[in-house]
Structures are given as structure tokens and as C-alpha cells.
Amino acid sequence: MTRTLTILGATGSIGASTLDLIRQSRDQWRVKALTANCQSAELARLAIEFGAELAVVGDESCLPELREALSGTGIAAAGGAQALCDAAATGADVTVAAIVGCAGLAPVMAAVEQGGTLALANKEALVSAGDILMDAVQRHGATLLPTDSEHNAIFQCLQGNAIEDVRWITLTASGGPFREWSHEQLSKATREQALKHPNWDMGAKITVDSATMFNKGLELIEAWHLFPVGLDRLRIVVHPQSVIHSMVEYRDGSTLAQLGPSDMRVPIASCLAWPQRMDTACKPLDLATIGTLSFFAPDEERFPATKLAREAAEAGGAAPAVLNAANEVAVAAFLAGQITFTQISAIVARTLDCALPPAPTSLAEVLAVDGEARQRARMMLEPA
Ligand code: NAD
Ligand code: MG
């Protein structure tokens, strides 16, 4: 039986891993829509390879190039924010949400409203609009499958168990490239150093987030929405080998963990095939070669991000959206060479210190909170 698929953010790292899996089971999938921000040539190439019905660029100025690249292929081309939402709303059996940042939120919501299966990698959407998104999932009868490796691990460990029996959920964190760096060294960390993740090959934003530990902070908030055990049952442990992707401990003392190679094709495959399994070409886990698994408590002095995220979740309302927006602005500024590495968490903390807007109750209100928080964070980039 063939199923239909749409990938939001098809030209990125998650998009590429997803398409790699589809390439190996072409007869089982029909691609409806592929989207990107710009990268028209690459998007057109993928749309042609996979016989997509529609290709969409979020940045409308890239549409002429996309049209040109697709001319004569019969593949429809579109551009702009609304076109991204339309692509998400084509009613595919499975939609992979792999846009980076809050830019993916409106398309994610459009996909949820179709009531199909959403494989969610775009954690920022859930951080910014958690309650609203989870509510929409319920209302529209959508199936939300967590694709982020930790959340996918937890999702797998929860199968067949009652959520009431959970004692702890433990998210593992690699600790990133600066795990052992002093505060002094961190203040001088360069863009190139931050972009070298020890275990995972990912897009630039999440790679910087892994170095600051904001990735784990965002994931804490993500887990809080996905798995209703309460914030105080969510813990983080640093596990530099990234072999255990997360764990669930039950009240009888049993801990279930999911292990696998540091390859996003594993959790993506778990979403694509769910509730069944599919083959992947991923290198099997070789524990004897890995030899040692180690674990450390996170150091929130050097890496305040997880503490800021926990506080934002505790504050609730607009705070997580503000945290996410400020982080997106600060990471972009760091990547552009405007601020130092340690200023990223300082800017997020200062943005959260400003008076918070009222709790958003709709998608439009979340986007307004996001926009306002970006403005405030950008003002902090100006030299004092
Ligand atoms: P990436 O930067 O490699 O790709 C992002 C994709 O989104 C690209 O197709 C890009 O064109 C598109 N995009 C970017 N900005 C956009 C905008 N404003 N409008 C429309 N499209 C836009 O990112 P990635 O590493 O693939 O990550 C994607 C998401 O998945 C992120 O939320 C990330 O946190 C999450 N995630 C990634 C990994 C990973 O291994 N890469 C693991 C877990 C979770
Ligand atoms: Mg993750």
C-alpha cells in the first residue's frame, strides 16, 4: 500500500535523512509536497527525483528561480508563508515537520488541522505554542509522533505502559563540543568551534543549541508537552556517547531505555513505519566497540540554558515562546559574528527578565509574542 508524504523543510538535515529513507522504499510512498526556505535549485532537484506534486519556497523572492527550474516538469511551484501552510494542508498521510525555528509553527498547525500523522522534528513550534498545538492535535484527531531522538526514545519506552506508572523521564544530552570547557574558554568559543558537534551532523541552529545546551532546554519543554508527567518528573543527564537516547523509569524500579546509533534516520524511520518497523541502512550499534557509557549531572553554572528553560516552563504562559524567540535571535547573531558565545544565554535571560506579555491563547497570539520578543532581543544586540 502506498502512503502520501509531505516534508516541510525538505532541504535541511532532517529533510535529507527522511528522503534517504524514502529513496530505499520508493514504491511505498507518493510525495505530495516538498518545501524549503529558498535553495530553489536543490528543492527542484529533490522534487524531480521524488516526483513531488508541489514544491514550495517560504521566501517568495526565490519563487521565480524555482519556477524556472521546474518548468516543463509538471510539478507545481509556489512561494510565501501562506503557500507553506497550503503545502502542509494537502492532507498527506504523513507530514514530516522539519523546518527550523518558530517559522515552522504555522505550517505545523496547518498540518495538524488536517488530522493526519505529523512526525515532528521542529521542536521550536512545540516550545512556542505547546498547549495550543497539543489541544489542536486532540481536537483534530491528529497523530503526533515525536521525531527528536530523545522524545522518540521516550515515546518508544512508554509503549504498552501507563503514564501514571512513570517515576522519572530522563532526557540524555551529549553535552556538546564544550562540555569540559571553563567559563573563560566558553566566552571565547568561536562559531567554527560551536559548529563542530562531537556526535551528530545537524543544521547550524540546532548545533549551536547543542553547544549552549539550549537544545536540551527546548527539549525539556518539548517533553513537558508531549508526555504529561509534570515538570518535576523530567530530568536531564549528560551522556557524551549519545548511545542511550533517553529513558523512562517506572514506579517498580524498572528503567527502559532506547539505544541506537547517532543517526537521525533511526527515529525518523520509527515515525515513518509506526506502529510497525522498517529496514534502515544505519550502522548497527556495536556496544563492545563503544566500550564505555558515561553519565554526568548537567552543570547549570557554565550552561544556564536548561535552568532558564525549566524556569520558563514553570512560569508558563508566554515565557517559553519568549525564551525560544530570544534564543533564535541570539543564535543568529552569534552565527553572524555579532555576539560572543556566552552572550547567547545572557540575552535569553535578559529578554525573559522583561515584563512578559499575557499568555497567548491562539496561533496568532503566539506569533505576536514571538515577534515582540524578537524585537526586544534584537535591541539587546546593540552595543550599550
Ligand atoms: P536545517 O537548517 O538543516 O534545515 C531547515 C529546513 O527548514 C531547510 O529545508 C530550510 O530551507 C527550511 N527553513 C529554514 N528557515 C525557514 C523559514 N523561515 N521558512 C521556511 N522554511 C525554512 O535544520 P535541521 O537540522 O534539519 O533541523 C530542523 C528541525 O529539526 C529543527 O527544529 C531542529 O531542532 C530539529 N531537529 C533536528 C535534528 C537534526 O539532527 N538535524 C535532530 C532533532 C531535531
Ligand atoms: Mg534531540
Side-chain angles (χ1 to χ4, degrees), residues 355-376:
L356 286 174
T361 57
S362 65
L363 175 64
E365 286 178 13
V366 174
L367 295 175
V369 167
D370 174 80
E372 236 175 81
R374 276 168 202 270
Q375 252 179 345
R376 249 183 281 145

Side-chain angles (χ1 to χ4, degrees), residues 123 148-151 200 202 206 215-216 219 222 264:
K123 66 192 82 184
D148 210 346
S149 57
E150 296 76 2
H151 306 74
W200 299 92
M202 312 180 284
I206 183 174
N215 185 46
K216 215 48 56 182
E219 289 182 354
E222 186 185 9
M264 284 306 292

Side-chain angles (χ1 to χ4, degrees), residues 40-384:
S40 306
E42 171 69 358
L43 181 63
R45 189 186 69 69
L46 294 171
I48 293 167
E49 179 188 346
F50 289 92
E53 292 169 16
L54 170 68
V56 178
V57 278
D59 181 343
E60 216 165 345
S61 71
C62 305
L63 181 57
E65 196 191 332
L66 180 67
R67 281 219 171 98
E68 170 78 28
L70 288 175
S71 73
T73 62
I75 300 169
Q82 184 54 47
L84 282 179
C85 291
D86 295 344
T90 49
D93 295 322
V94 179
T95 301
V96 176
I99 292 176
V100 58
C102 194
L105 173 56
V108 160
M109 194 62 102
V112 165
E113 287 169 358
Q114 298 300 302
T117 295
L118 183 75
L120 183 75
N122 182 197
K123 66 192 82 184
E124 296 90 349
L126 197 52
V127 169
S128 297
D131 292 340
I132 294 161
L133 201 55
M134 294 309 286
D135 184 59
V137 166
Q138 283 285 326
R139 243 173 333 109
H140 297 280
T143 303
L144 180 58
L145 301 177
T147 307
D148 210 346
S149 57
E150 296 76 2
H151 306 74
N152 186 265
I154 296 162
F155 181 78
Q156 293 195 45
C157 294
L158 287 171
Q159 296 304 307
N161 289 283
I163 196 89
E164 298 73 32
D165 288 336
V166 172
R167 186 186 280 164
W168 298 106
I169 288 178
T170 305
L171 295 159
T172 54
S174 71
F178 305 148
R179 186 172 62 84
E180 295 183 302
W181 287 32
S182 67
H183 196 274
E184 168 74 16
Q185 286 173 305
L186 287 174
S187 66
K188 297 194 180 105
T190 66
R191 179 183 189 277
E192 285 62 39
Q193 290 167 325
L195 286 176
K196 266 203 207 105
H197 195 282
N199 306 339
W200 299 92
D201 181 11
M202 312 180 284
K205 194 257 175 183
I206 183 174
T207 306
V208 174
D209 282 346
S210 299
T212 57
M213 293 286 282
F214 265 112
N215 185 46
K216 215 48 56 182
L218 298 175
E219 289 182 354
L220 184 80
I221 301 175
E222 186 185 9
W224 176 54
H225 288 296
L226 288 170
F227 313 114
V229 296
L231 203 52
D232 51 1
R233 288 179 189 266
L234 296 174
R235 304 194 296 193
I236 295 169
V237 69
V238 176
H239 165 46
Q241 295 83 9
S242 299
V243 169
I244 296 181
H245 297 304
S246 278
M247 299 171 249
V248 178
E249 181 177 324
Y250 290 94
R251 64 193 173 103
D252 60 2
S254 286
T255 296
L256 303 193
Q258 187 262 353
L259 287 70
S262 317
D263 186 330
M264 284 306 292
R265 289 178 301 177
V266 177
I268 297 168
S270 142
C271 293
L272 291 179
W274 191 86
Q276 290 161 0
R277 297 277 179 183
M278 64 184 275
D279 292 331
T280 72
C282 300
K283 223 169 136 205
L285 195 60
D286 179 357
L287 287 174
T289 301
I290 294 164
T292 308
L293 300 183
S294 47
F295 305 92
F296 305 91
D299 178 348
E300 293 187 331
E301 286 280 313
R302 284 180 304 137
F303 300 100
T306 48
K307 185 164 170 281
L308 289 170
R310 190 175 285 276
E311 287 167 359
E314 277 161 359
V322 170
L323 170 120
N324 178 68
N327 182 53
E328 285 194 35
V329 168
V331 170
F334 171 69
L335 286 172
Q338 260 180 291
I339 60 169
T340 64
F341 182 77
T342 43
Q343 276 177 305
I344 299 174
S345 53
I347 284 172
V348 175
R350 280 171 56 207
T351 310
L352 280 165
D353 277 345
C354 305
L356 286 174
T361 57
S362 65
L363 175 64
E365 286 178 13
V366 174
L367 295 175
V369 167
D370 174 80
E372 236 175 81
R374 276 168 202 270
Q375 252 179 345
R376 249 183 281 145
R378 275 196 202 101
M379 271 157 39
M380 292 175 193
L381 301 176
E382 310 289 332

